[in-house]
Amino acid sequence: AAVVGGAKLSAKEGLISRLIDTADSIFIGGAIAHTFMKARGLKVGQSLHEPDMAKVCKRLEMKARNKGVRLLLPDDFVYSEGYDNNVLTGYVKYADCYPSGMLPVSMMGLDIADQSLETIVSCYKSARTLFWNGPVGAAELDKFAWGSKCVATLLASMGKLNRTTIVGGKDTLDVLEKVGMRDQISHCSSGGASFMDIMERKILPGLTCLLPAADMRVPPPADDVPLFDVDAELEPLDAMARETGTTDMYE
């Protein structure tokens, strides 16, 4: 089971697609959830989202359905009218985000609430391997770090039950540090792009160069363009051979 949060779906598209191939359920949090909601035709107010990623959302949801994977969004939100620790906050349910719902136009979703946490618990409780990347709220602000701290505490608790727990990403590890539970996680990666690459099974040059030559995987050139033009490389030698009348230029 996996929880994926963060600000931009454009940075997590490959990760989510790969997780759909391996996970039973995936909870989408953070601003990425607002992008999925917008793609579903729901209102998100002033929440951070990427409106140009609607087709990507629909493609990922269709892939999840075809593979029988539960792709879950938050059931409720803590919202505010500003990105600040000192502003007033409110509570809104997912159902209120429908066009007919009573969602304040000035709303900015900044954290998940109780029902969403229950959904995450339902994902994690029966899984043997638990994955988390990306805060599920604006965890850099103490007022909106509750949801992310709860996820961190939940993972640490599941780790005590001999479950494998994997956490990656600097912002995600910062949350673990805040609750003092980093040492209770099976594997922590502070790598940002490299962690994403290895989760997406991309080639990491720093690791590939350590493999035996026979095991090295060299990616094919883009658009099947050869690494170099063999005829162009050998033409000068061919011309010299014709001029000198020799046949051993390549020996």
Side-chain angles (χ1 to χ4, degrees):
V3 171
V4 179
K8 294 184 177 182
L9 174 60
S10 54
K12 303 287 180 78
E13 176 188 355
L15 173 64
I16 295 173
S17 181
R18 178 60 66 181
L19 288 172
I20 291 174
D21 293 331
T22 56
D24 297 319
S25 56
I26 304 170
F27 180 90
I28 304 294
I32 298 178
H34 303 142
T35 300
F36 274 90
M37 291 173 62
K38 188 68 175 180
R40 291 183 179 183
L42 277 67
K43 297 188 295 184
V44 297
Q46 300 301 314
S47 303
L48 178 64
H49 66 287
E50 295 176 285
D52 58 334
M53 297 294 287
K55 290 184 178 180
V56 173
C57 293
K58 293 176 181 178
R59 185 168 66 248
L60 290 173
E61 292 206 70
M62 182 178 294
K63 179 179 180 180
R65 270 196 308 272
N66 292 339
K67 288 184 171 288
V69 176
R70 295 192 302 161
L71 195 63
L72 306 167
L73 297 181
D75 299 287
D76 48 8
F77 301 90
V78 174
Y79 73 88
S80 170
E81 294 190 354
Y83 183 76
D84 195 304
N85 274 318
N86 300 317
V87 295
L88 295 175
T89 60
Y91 170 82
V92 62
K93 294 183 178 180
Y94 180 91
D96 295 329
C97 298
Y98 283 98
S100 59
M102 302 298 292
L103 179 72
V105 177
S106 59
M107 183 208 89
M108 179 183 294
L110 293 173
D111 199 6
I112 61 171
D114 298 354
Q115 293 182 20
S116 299
L117 183 61
E118 291 178 7
T119 300
I120 295 176
V121 172
S122 70
C123 291
Y124 274 169
K125 66 180 181 181
S126 60
R128 293 184 178 181
T129 302
L130 315 176
F131 175 88
W132 180 27
N133 172 253
V136 294
E140 63 275 14
L141 299 177
D142 292 337
K143 195 169 188 175
F144 305 106
W146 179 83
S148 298
K149 289 181 178 179
C150 286
V151 175
T153 303
L154 176 61
L155 255 75
S157 300
M158 298 301 282
K160 294 179 180 179
L161 300 176
N162 294 324
R163 310 286 178 86
T164 301
T165 51
I166 302 171
V167 177
K170 181 181 181 302
D171 293 338
T172 317
L173 292 185
D174 286 345
V175 178
L176 282 173
E177 293 286 359
K178 287 181 180 179
V179 296
M181 295 183 175
R182 179 170 177 170
D183 60 339
Q184 298 179 38
I185 303 299
S186 304
H187 176 77
C188 292
S189 172
S190 59
S194 59
F195 176 75
M196 299 288 288
D197 284 349
I198 199 168
M199 288 302 300
E200 294 174 30
R201 295 186 180 179
K202 292 182 178 178
I203 293 175
L204 300 180
L207 296 180
T208 304
C209 67
L210 301 176
L211 296 173
D215 295 334
M216 292 183 66
R217 296 181 301 158
V218 179
D223 300 325
D224 296 327
V225 176
L227 293 176
F228 59 90
D229 189 336
V230 177
D231 292 334
E233 293 288 335
L234 296 181
E235 178 57 31
L237 295 179
D238 290 335
M240 187 180 300
R242 288 193 295 271
E243 292 176 359
T244 60
T246 60
T247 60
D248 61 350
M249 297 300 297
Y250 308 129
E251 296 178 0

